[in-house]
Amino acid sequence: MVTITIQELTKRFGGSVVLSSVNLQIDAGELFFLLGPSGCGKTTLLRHIAGFYTPDEGKIWFDDEEVTRLPAHKRGTGMMFQSYALWPHLNVAQNVAFGLEERKRPRKEIEHRVAQALEQVKLSGLGSRKIQQLSGGQQQRVALARALVIRPKCLLLDEPLSNLDAKLRLEMRTEIRQICKQHGLTAIYVTHDRDEALSMADRMAIMESGKLAQVGAPAEIYRNPATRMVAEFIGETNFIEGRALRESSREGFYDVETPFGVLRGRTDGTWQPAAGQPVLLSIRPESLTFGNVLDSPNRFPGHIVDTTYLGATVQYLVQIHGGPLMKVCETNPQEIRLPSDEATRAMAAMNDVVILRK
Amino acid sequence: MSKTLSLLIFLVMTAFFACFFAYPIWAALETAFRGPDHKFTLDYVSEVFLNALYREGLWNSFIIAVWTTLGALCVALPLAVCYVRFAFPGRALLNSLVLMPMILPPFVGAIGIKTMLGQAGALNSLLINLGLMDAMHPTDWLGQHRMLGIIIMEVLHLYPIIYLNAAAALSNLDPALEEAAANLGSNAWNRFWRVTLPLIMPGVFAGGTIVFVWSFTEMGVPLLFDYDRVTAVQVFRSINDLSGNPFPYALVAVMLVFSTLFYLTSKLLFGSSSAGGGGRATTGRETINLPSWLGWACTAFFAFVTFLAVLPHLGVVLLSFSKDWYGTVIPHSLTLEHYRDALGHELTLSSIANSLKYSALAMLLALFLGIGVAYVSVRTRIWGRQILDAMAMLPLAVPGIVMAFGYLAMTREGQPFHWLMLGEDPLLLLVIAYAVRRLPYVVRSAAAGFQQVSPTLEEAAQNLGARPEKALWRITLPLVTPNLVAGGLLAFSFAMLEVSDSMILAQQSAYFPITKAIYSLVLALGSGPNLASALGVWAMIFLAVTILGAGVILGKKLGALFRG
């Protein structure tokens, strides 16, 4: 269990900057997520921590030890690769035993720990199987056992679930989180799947073109996105452009003038819009409703142009009169509204309208 | 393509293989195992093992093959690792230069080696000049160490086959497999031995098997070294009293059995294991930038190997220009005389013309067969397509000398294929022999092409109204043309280089191909070796141009053609 500190990390490949002055601290025992679109540098950052890349500038610390230039095989991390990287010439037990053999552990101890690790990932008795004989889910578990058995200083997971089918992915989310917590492991998990990150992370960092866009707990990021990119990447949302008027009559809320009326919302609390400043409003579909919201000036008159039934929810596409198309999502719908020219109105609570800098 | 047409192609191919691959082997074996009373007998074969001379020949062939394979591994593996892993000055250029030996016929190089290692050769002169050798008692390198000379020559000729295979296996390896080992605490040395090497073993062994079988049955090099105590040369020597003598056939049968055994063993040991790993490669391999002195060391290593490999042929070039080369490091004076004489010599012009004719026809035949086999095996689902594909690859495992004897046996007087002899003209026989021997390269090359071109392209043409044959002709064939050209060029140039068939099947000097002409010139007195060298230089220039062409067209995929 280590605290991982990253200082001013910069990496260039050829002419392009893939990581630019990244600063980050991951606390001991934390399950930390690196989330972002492909090409944002999240895997590159992970590979720096594993020791496969050396940064052009900046430092990496494991607790008080600087590891920036320590070769990968001396770092003591346990990594799960996206392709699993299981060695096809070794069987399951031999794959898992590899790291212990490199550490010159006694024969007896290796056997014992391998059996234990396989039991933990529910593969007891499959030790003598060949890798090719395993299903994708089983291979994934072997990869996990192989990384865990060495009792790593930290666990590094590079999109470990991306090659599994949807059902298995859901099961493994819980399982991986449980194992991490059980061992009190510091774990860094790279993914582009926001549901995975939201459901598993203690904290996460959203990355965009080599930079950290925002770091925080899942709910914090979902509720208070710092930028348009973060708001959009972490969940579905509607954007409305506008111009800040002034602080509203209600403390902590601000009025924003939009093409179809004045709306009232809040910032993430770290800043205040100046009067006349162009801003962006982010309103999540699930915070919009066709019912009444008391004490809110946020009305969106329009008509439904499309209805998508998803079982648990219904998604509507609403053409706002004098405004954009907006997504509205109703959970456990009492009635399913069909597209029509009939005028309707959606509303949102003031607290659900987030004002972003433009 | 319609099912009827596929079936037709399948049947034609199968019939051709039956007649010109299976039957000749059968014919050779039959002669080896059939006694005078037309009954099955093991007498001749057991005589081979009882006869001390034959036994020594087999043993020597085996020793040569073992050392050649080991030597080629030792040269090729480090080269391949350096090339795939590290960035060093001149990397791309050296990667192609190091393949040069492929186009340098080893038995031509042998002429050069002989000249340089002879008692009054360049090496001794150099050593005497440096004061390292007594001028009165020069070492007769080739007298005492002929086998070593043969092994060196073959290592230098064959290492590229392993190099190509190992480099391909290395670059196909998912780098994550090694990174996983590093992550678990394994240092670079352990990683190589515990992960990398076991995983590239199938590729390395595929190349190693080809090298082994090749050197086990190599005839040209020992022949030029005048080394009679290997099986291939013993077979060749006994050809003169051929008609009734079953022993060369028995020897050939033994060779075939051994080669097949080696081939099958390596297939069984390494053929089934896949180095694919779970899932796709997720990270591209990056070449490591070495400190500059290490980088230059890699460069020097590549350059040194290339230099060694080219050295014999430099000797040939020098010899072809030299007036006299005796007791000096390089020739006293240079002349163009031999090139003029070579062009004037009756054997030269006719042999060049013959070789061009044989090789061009063989290339066309190999292309025709190769496209057919590749198409059927890649694009159709008819029964037996894999068998056809496997059959087409078999000539890699069957020594050329076995095939040559088979053709000889099946065209003897009274045999059903006697008409192929066309009197004394070996045209048809050589064309068929060359085509069958080089078919694997054409098939792999064409199959690679068909695999890359999605069948939906053809389906789109059919959807727009093209008949299946028309769709094949207008869409797929143009797209695989580069592969076909490359495969064809390889088949052509290897046919120009072919030794065993040429030596055994062409008996009249008027019909000699280049290789046999070079051999008989070497034996001639006077300026014979110089003339042979001049002819050899012509042949090498020719080959260099064609193979470079194939390399340019096929790019990196060149290596895939040499996998067993």
Side-chain angles (χ1 to χ4, degrees):
Chain A
M1 261 112 312
V2 289
T3 300
I4 298 168
T5 312
I6 291 159
Q7 290 177 342
E8 291 296 316
L9 206 69
T10 296
K11 179 73 174 177
R12 285 173 283 266
F13 285 141
S16 60
V17 181
V18 284
L19 287 178
S20 120
S21 304
V22 173
N23 284 295
L24 187 64
Q25 174 160 337
I26 296 155
D27 296 327
E30 192 174 30
L31 177 49
F32 192 92
F33 270 65
L34 292 172
L35 182 68
S38 56
C40 69
K42 55 191 191 299
T43 296
T44 312
L45 181 54
L46 189 79
R47 291 170 64 80
H48 273 94
I49 298 170
F52 297 126
Y53 292 147
T54 317
D56 295 324
E57 288 151 40
K59 287 177 179 164
I60 302 171
W61 302 76
F62 286 2
D63 288 337
D64 298 333
E65 186 197 0
E66 199 204 317
V67 296
T68 318
R69 277 161 212 290
L70 196 67
H73 66 271
K74 292 185 179 155
R75 291 208 187 183
T77 65
M79 179 152 169
M80 249 184 94
F81 293 79
Q82 186 177 6
S83 62
Y84 310 146
L86 297 173
W87 303 297
H89 65 298
L90 305 178
N91 67 24
V92 171
Q94 288 166 332
N95 262 279
V96 177
F98 187 95
L100 296 173
E101 284 163 9
E102 286 297 331
R103 283 166 175 70
K104 305 258 182 336
R105 306 309 307 172
R107 189 79 258 158
K108 276 265 185 256
E109 184 192 333
I110 293 181
E111 276 169 27
H112 178 66
R113 279 170 70 176
V114 167
Q116 219 174 23
L118 287 178
E119 191 187 319
Q120 176 158 43
V121 297
K122 298 171 188 162
L123 288 177
S124 291
L126 296 188
S128 55
R129 288 278 181 90
K130 290 194 162 181
I131 298 302
Q132 296 93 319
Q133 294 172 325
L134 301 182
S135 68
Q138 288 171 323
Q139 292 189 1
Q140 197 260 359
R141 285 155 188 273
V142 177
L144 184 59
R146 187 177 70 177
L148 285 173
V149 77
I150 59 165
R151 298 184 187 143
K153 287 184 188 158
C154 67
L155 185 64
L156 307 176
L157 304 120
D158 185 6
E159 308 210 12
L161 304 183
S162 62
N163 289 331
L164 298 183
D165 63 58
K167 185 166 172 287
L168 215 50
R169 219 177 298 173
L170 284 179
E171 283 174 30
M172 284 312 290
R173 279 186 200 169
T174 345
E175 216 164 299
I176 289 180
R177 185 171 163 88
Q178 260 172 13
I179 288 177
C180 288
K181 290 299 152 194
Q182 204 177 324
H183 292 257
L185 276 169
T186 310
I188 305 176
Y189 191 122
V190 162
T191 184
H192 58 254
D193 182 334
R194 63 189 180 211
D195 294 341
E196 225 162 89
L198 287 171
S199 63
M200 295 172 72
D202 291 330
R203 284 197 309 147
M204 59 168 112
I206 311 263
M207 293 188 67
E208 186 188 12
S209 27
K211 293 188 178 120
L212 299 185
Q214 192 174 359
V215 181
E220 207 177 305
I221 290 182
Y222 192 84
R223 302 277 304 158
N224 296 311
T227 66
R228 179 190 178 116
M229 179 266 161
V230 173
E232 207 167 21
F233 192 80
I234 200 69
E236 295 253 346
T237 194
N238 298 293
F239 290 120
I240 297 159
E241 295 185 10
R243 194 175 285 278
L245 286 176
R246 58 185 183 280
E247 189 152 358
S248 69
S249 49
R250 298 284 299 273
E251 196 186 336
F253 292 97
Y254 304 89
D255 285 347
V256 174
E257 188 182 21
T258 72
F260 51 98
V262 174
L263 301 177
R264 184 172 290 174
R266 59 172 177 87
T267 66
D268 60 6
T270 60
W271 64 290
Q272 301 181 351
Q277 181 182 354
V279 292
L280 199 63
L281 301 179
S282 164
I283 308 163
R284 303 236 178 252
E286 71 274 11
S287 57
L288 285 161
T289 168
F290 293 111
N292 246 324
V293 178
L294 290 177
D295 192 24
S296 169
N298 299 324
R299 295 161 189 277
F300 305 90
H303 65 274
I304 297 172
V305 294
D306 188 45
T307 303
T308 310
Y309 180 68
L310 291 170
T313 59
V314 188
Q315 283 183 2
Y316 300 101
L317 211 50
V318 179
Q319 176 66 58
I320 306 302
H321 294 155
L325 278 171
M326 284 180 74
K327 286 168 275 187
V328 178
C329 178
E330 275 193 334
T331 307
N332 189 20
Q334 299 301 309
E335 62 165 325
I336 298 165
R337 298 157 202 260
L338 295 175
S340 78
D341 291 337
E342 201 181 315
T344 179
R345 155 190 69 73
M347 288 194 73
M350 296 186 299
N351 210 32
D352 289 330
V353 175
V354 180
I355 304 171
L356 301 174
R357 285 192 189 90
K358 214 178 146 190
Chain B
M1 186 185 275
S2 63
K3 186 144 188 188
T4 346
L5 192 56
S6 308
L7 262 178
L8 188 70
I9 294 181
F10 180 78
L11 289 178
V12 169
M13 296 297 152
T14 315
F16 184 88
F17 275 120
C19 292
F20 298 112
F21 182 69
Y23 183 67
I25 296 176
W26 167 250
L29 290 180
E30 193 194 24
T31 322
F33 288 107
R34 179 174 288 183
D37 50 357
H38 292 277
K39 284 210 182 97
F40 176 80
T41 172
L42 284 173
D43 287 356
Y44 306 136
V45 174
S46 55
E47 174 63 24
V48 165
F49 288 103
L50 292 175
N51 184 319
L53 208 61
Y54 290 152
R55 221 167 43 220
E56 194 198 351
L58 277 171
W59 179 245
N60 285 340
S61 302
F62 180 74
I63 295 292
I64 288 178
V66 168
W67 284 108
T68 301
T69 313
L70 287 178
L73 275 173
C74 292
V75 175
L77 267 186
L79 281 178
V81 171
C82 286
Y83 173 69
V84 175
R85 292 291 157 83
F86 306 129
F88 51 87
R91 179 168 174 266
L93 176 70
L94 286 166
N95 177 45
S96 4
L97 280 185
V98 90
L99 297 179
M100 288 254 289
M102 300 232 56
I103 58 166
L104 302 173
F107 87 117
V108 174
I111 307 173
I113 282 268
K114 269 173 74 174
T115 320
M116 289 189 286
L117 296 188
Q119 264 183 308
L123 179 64
N124 281 356
S125 308
L126 183 70
L127 291 176
I128 291 169
N129 286 349
L130 292 173
L132 295 173
M133 185 183 280
D134 181 0
M136 291 294 100
H137 300 96
T139 311
D140 183 4
W141 296 99
L142 297 177
Q144 291 143 23
H145 309 287
R146 264 186 295 188
M147 193 142 125
L148 185 66
I150 294 169
I151 292 170
I152 291 175
M153 200 57 229
E154 292 188 17
V155 166
L156 290 179
H157 173 57
L158 296 174
Y159 76 84
I161 294 181
I162 297 181
Y163 173 78
L164 284 170
N165 275 287
L170 275 171
S171 43
N172 286 339
L173 202 61
D174 183 353
L177 292 170
E178 285 159 8
E179 286 169 1
N183 177 254
L184 294 174
S186 185
N187 62 30
W189 179 255
N190 283 354
R191 275 199 308 271
F192 181 77
W193 288 104
R194 296 194 63 188
V195 175
T196 314
L197 196 63
L199 287 174
I200 62 168
M201 244 6 200
V204 172
F205 256 77
T209 313
I210 294 180
V211 169
F212 190 93
V213 171
W214 194 317
S215 50
F216 181 65
T217 59
E218 170 70 32
M219 179 165 84
V221 176
L223 205 54
L224 277 187
F225 273 95
D226 254 340
Y227 190 68
D228 282 359
R229 282 176 290 175
V230 294
T231 310
V233 175
Q234 289 171 340
V235 169
F236 177 70
R237 294 287 188 223
S238 58
I239 198 169
N240 297 329
D241 57 335
L242 188 73
S243 45
N245 187 355
F247 287 113
Y249 290 99
L251 273 175
V252 158
V254 172
M255 275 180 125
L256 176 65
V257 169
F258 278 135
S259 307
T260 316
L261 277 181
F262 297 137
Y263 195 76
L264 287 181
T265 316
S266 94
K267 279 266 154 183
L268 279 180
L269 282 180
F270 295 97
S272 56
S273 58
S274 78
R280 66 212 154 85
T282 42
T283 41
R285 182 180 293 284
E286 292 163 53
T287 51
I288 300 165
N289 285 309
L290 293 171
S292 79
W293 69 273
L294 264 179
W296 282 105
C298 283
T299 309
F301 177 41
F302 266 73
F304 179 66
V305 170
T306 311
F307 173 73
L308 274 189
V310 173
L311 192 60
H313 299 85
L314 285 181
V316 174
V317 174
L318 276 183
L319 189 61
S320 71
F321 284 112
S322 70
K323 232 187 194 107
D324 49 2
W325 190 6
Y326 192 84
T328 50
V329 181
I330 55 167
H332 272 305
S333 51
L334 302 178
T335 171
L336 281 174
E337 212 175 291
H338 306 305
Y339 283 88
R340 209 180 48 232
D341 289 356
L343 289 183
H345 197 283
E346 43 151 2
L347 215 47
T348 345
L349 279 184
S350 70
S351 71
I352 291 182
N354 284 337
S355 266
L356 283 178
K357 188 167 64 185
Y358 301 150
S359 306
L361 287 174
M363 176 184 77
L364 289 180
L365 180 60
L367 271 177
F368 174 74
L369 295 168
I371 294 173
V373 172
Y375 194 88
V376 168
S377 86
V378 174
R379 282 296 163 81
T380 68
R381 291 284 159 268
I382 61 178
W383 182 90
R385 62 184 191 285
Q386 289 104 335
I387 301 175
L388 189 68
D389 188 73
M391 245 182 343
M393 297 312 287
L394 271 183
L396 278 181
V398 179
I401 196 167
V402 174
M403 294 306 298
F405 259 75
Y407 291 123
L408 213 55
M410 74 185 223
T411 52
R412 272 177 308 181
E413 235 161 306
Q415 296 285 331
F417 284 102
H418 181 59
W419 54 272
L420 278 173
M421 265 320 232
L422 303 175
E424 290 286 338
D425 191 348
L427 172 78
L428 281 179
L429 266 186
L430 276 179
V431 166
I432 292 172
Y434 289 168
V436 169
R437 290 284 308 286
R438 304 313 171 198
L439 189 59
Y441 304 123
V442 183
V443 169
R444 279 284 72 82
S445 172
F450 285 131
Q451 271 154 3
Q452 281 155 14
V453 178
S454 162
T456 53
L457 296 182
E458 230 175 279
E459 285 162 9
Q462 289 180 27
N463 174 254
L464 294 174
R467 273 181 294 109
E469 296 78 10
K470 189 89 180 282
L472 173 65
W473 181 252
R474 283 195 56 192
I475 306 294
T476 306
L477 278 185
L479 286 170
V480 299
T481 305
N483 294 63
L484 299 182
V485 171
L489 278 177
L490 277 178
F492 176 78
S493 49
F494 283 128
M496 296 277 290
L497 275 183
E498 217 289 333
V499 177
S500 14
D501 290 316
S502 316
M503 289 287 195
I504 289 170
L505 296 178
Q507 295 296 346
Q508 299 281 319
S509 65
Y511 302 120
F512 278 4
I514 289 183
T515 40
K516 188 146 189 182
I518 291 178
Y519 176 64
S520 57
L521 279 175
V522 169
L523 295 185
L525 293 173
S527 64
N530 301 74
L531 284 179
S533 303
L535 187 52
V537 172
W538 279 123
M540 289 193 287
I541 292 172
F542 223 83
L543 286 175
V545 172
T546 47
I547 299 254
L548 280 183
V552 168
I553 293 165
L554 210 56
K556 280 189 189 144
K557 284 164 278 171
L558 195 63
L561 300 185
F562 295 94
R563 249 167 273 171

